[in-house]
Every structure is written in C-alpha cells, then in structure tokens.
C-alpha cells in the first residue's frame, strides 16, 4: 500500500507491550484510506512503566488525534482519558481513544461489542446461552460485559487471578441481568465457551479449558490472533464444534474503532 504522506496527515498510534503481533497499523490505515481520510496508524512499543510519560509526550503533538490500546495498557489508559463512554467507565478500561474538540482525550472499549458481533457472524447468538469465559483482563472484562448485555442465560468467569475474577463477577452480577458466578476450567454445563486469556499464544501453553469436557453442540471462541488458529480452536474443531477466532473478532473490532476514530 502506497500512502501520499504529508504534513497534513493525521497520526494515530497503537500502543502495547509487545507490539509486533498487531495487525492494526496496516488494516486501520487502509480503512482510513477507503474512507478518503489522510491518516495513518503507527505502532508504539511502550513498557508499562513508561506509558504515562509516553502518553503525555504524544499528546503535545496536535496532529496525533487517536490512540488504539492493546495489551497490557487497557486499564492503565483509562485514567489518562478526560472523558469516557458509559461502557468504558463501567469496565475501567479503554481500547480506543480520540481527541475531543478541546484537545483532551475521550476513550471507549469495543472488544466486547466486536466479539459478540463476531459470534453472530458465525451463527452463534449469545442470547439464552450458558457461557463460560476464561480471562478477566481488558478484553475478557469487555467480552463478559457484552455477553451479559446480549442476554446470556448465565455467565461463569474463570481467571488465574482470584481477586480480578471476583471483582468482575461482583460488578457484573450487580447489574441484575443474569446469574454471574466464578467458574473453573471445566466447561461441562456450558454451551458457549470463550478464551479471552493469553493461553495459546506461546508454544507449550496449557489449554485454557478441559477440552475433553466440551459438550456436543458447544460453541467455542478464542481472542488469540497469533497463531491464527489457536490450540483451543484447533481442539474444538477436531471435536466437530463450531468456532469463532481472534481474527473474526479483530475484523469487527477494527470496524468499530475506525467508526469511532473518524467521528471526532
């Protein structure tokens, strides 16, 4: 892709640690071009200890108009926004930030909406499902919230950090929309199982759930984009189960982020 960059080009960053695995720089830049916008996305590899200083620095450049946030910065970037959506306020996390008219920053979180859309694209409506979600980090929290809002019958959340798991369970249960409980790696009794943890990104990672306990007809999802077919997705397909991948999610989240960033 050849871009006619100039001094008028609007600049966006995607910030994470690590960053080499992300697809957003090319894909979102191409989406901007399709919308006729002179804008790019550049990767920024920033350690957690340096995030605030980096954010303050790029904020001084008036032509930096948006920031996409990936692991592990989604919670840490929330306090750096002067305004946020109701969804981001509930989650305490953001994955996309844009300039307000006064130069301050406004954040929102689209991981959950994007994953629910990806599920529906693959023929799985979460409404009425008994869901198990593994992972209560930034993406996991957003997906959990979106599942509750989409009308799941029940939601169990499993995370290796009991405090983080318990906090998310408590806040979602308080919404009163469905039973929300602490889950385990045993998927028995669930007909929708989603991995929103990093399990499967590295060779030798254990599977996030007991695959042998997946029930017939269960729909299985995973947020991991590299590898494109995560070990959990491969194992589920070996059992003849329908699936949604991290790439399916990325397409939907990308579209939501682009819409948000273009509507300043």
């Amino acid at each position: 892709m050849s871009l006619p960059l100039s001094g008028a080009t609007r600049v966006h960053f995607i910030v994470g640690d690590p960053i080499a695995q992300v697809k957003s720089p090319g894909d979102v830049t191409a989406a901007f071009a399709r919308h006729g916008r002179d804008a790019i996305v550049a990767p920024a590899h920033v350690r957690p200890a340096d995030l605030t200083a980096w954010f303050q620095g790029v904020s001084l450049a008036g032509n930096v108009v948006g920031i996409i946030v990936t692991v592990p910065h989604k919670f840490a970037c929330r306090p750096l926004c002067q305004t946020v959506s109701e969804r981001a306020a509930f989650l305490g996390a953001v994955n996309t930030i844009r300039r307000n008219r006064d130069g301050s920053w406004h954040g929102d979180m689209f991981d959950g909406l994007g994953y629910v859309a990806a599920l529906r694209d693959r023929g799985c409506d979460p409404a009425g499902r008994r869901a198990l979600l593994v992972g209560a980090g930034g993406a996991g929290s957003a997906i959990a919230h979106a599942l509750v809002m989409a009308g799941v019958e029940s939601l169990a959340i499993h995370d290796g950090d009991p405090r983080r798991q318990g906090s998310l369970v408590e806040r979602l249960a308080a919404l009163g929309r469905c039973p929300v409980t602490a889950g385990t790696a045993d998927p028995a009794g669930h007909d929708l199982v989603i991995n929103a943890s990093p399990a499967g990104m590295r060779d030798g990672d254990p599977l996030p759930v007991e695959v042998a306990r997946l029930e017939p007809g269960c729909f299985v999802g995973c947020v991991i984009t590299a590898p494109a077919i995560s070990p959990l997705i491969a194992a589920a397909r070996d059992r003849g189960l329908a699936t949604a991948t991290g790439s399916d999610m990325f397409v939907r989240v990308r579209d939501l982020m682009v819409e948000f960033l273009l509507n300043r």
Side-chain angles (χ1 to χ4, degrees):
M1 177 176 57
S2 176
L3 295 172
L5 300 180
S6 73
T9 300
R10 303 289 87 184
V11 178
H12 304 71
F13 286 99
I14 177 165
V15 60
D17 179 25
I19 201 66
Q21 79 283 0
V22 300
K23 301 177 180 179
S24 296
D27 283 5
V28 178
T29 298
F32 287 150
R34 289 194 296 272
H35 284 83
R37 298 298 181 92
D38 182 6
I40 63 167
V41 176
H45 188 177
V46 180
R47 299 176 303 167
D50 299 326
L51 179 66
T52 299
W54 175 85
F55 194 97
Q56 292 170 343
V58 299
S59 296
L60 298 176
N63 65 331
V64 175
V65 296
I67 299 171
I68 298 169
V69 185
T70 189
V71 176
H73 300 316
K74 294 177 183 181
F75 290 108
C77 277
R78 161 61 187 91
L80 303 177
C81 299
Q82 286 71 48
T83 59
V84 296
S85 69
E86 182 178 345
R87 175 174 46 246
F90 177 85
L91 294 168
V94 296
N95 78 335
T96 317
I97 306 170
R98 70 184 181 203
R99 290 276 193 179
N100 289 316
R101 294 295 180 184
D102 63 3
S104 62
W105 292 101
H106 178 71
D108 207 336
M109 170 57 94
F110 300 111
D111 286 343
L113 292 181
Y115 208 89
V116 166
L119 290 175
R120 290 173 174 151
D121 288 342
R122 295 297 180 185
C124 175
D125 187 344
R129 295 261 185 171
R130 293 164 287 117
L132 169 64
L133 177 76
V134 179
S141 297
I143 293 170
H145 179 258
L147 290 173
V148 169
M149 302 305 289
V152 293
E153 178 183 311
S154 62
L155 174 63
I157 300 171
H158 175 55
D159 190 271
D161 183 335
R163 182 178 301 177
R164 183 167 68 174
Q165 172 183 287
S167 173
L168 182 59
V169 166
E170 182 179 355
R171 289 185 293 118
L172 289 173
L175 295 176
R177 299 181 68 96
C178 71
V180 182
T181 60
T184 70
D186 183 356
H190 301 280
D191 54 6
L192 174 58
V193 174
I194 299 173
N195 174 44
S197 79
M201 291 182 66
R202 297 170 297 189
D203 291 341
D205 279 351
L207 289 170
V209 299
E210 300 172 32
V211 171
R213 299 274 288 170
L214 289 168
E215 298 189 350
C218 181
F219 191 98
V220 179
C222 187
V223 304
I224 291 172
T225 58
I229 305 301
S230 71
L232 175 62
I233 293 296
R237 289 180 178 178
D238 285 345
R239 296 177 67 84
L241 303 179
T243 64
T245 68
S247 295
D248 295 328
M249 171 187 173
F250 171 76
V251 170
R252 283 301 199 158
V253 173
R254 177 202 63 199
D255 292 346
L256 291 167
M257 292 190 302
V258 169
E259 180 182 3
F260 174 81
L261 292 169
L262 290 178
N263 290 305
R264 294 183 59 231

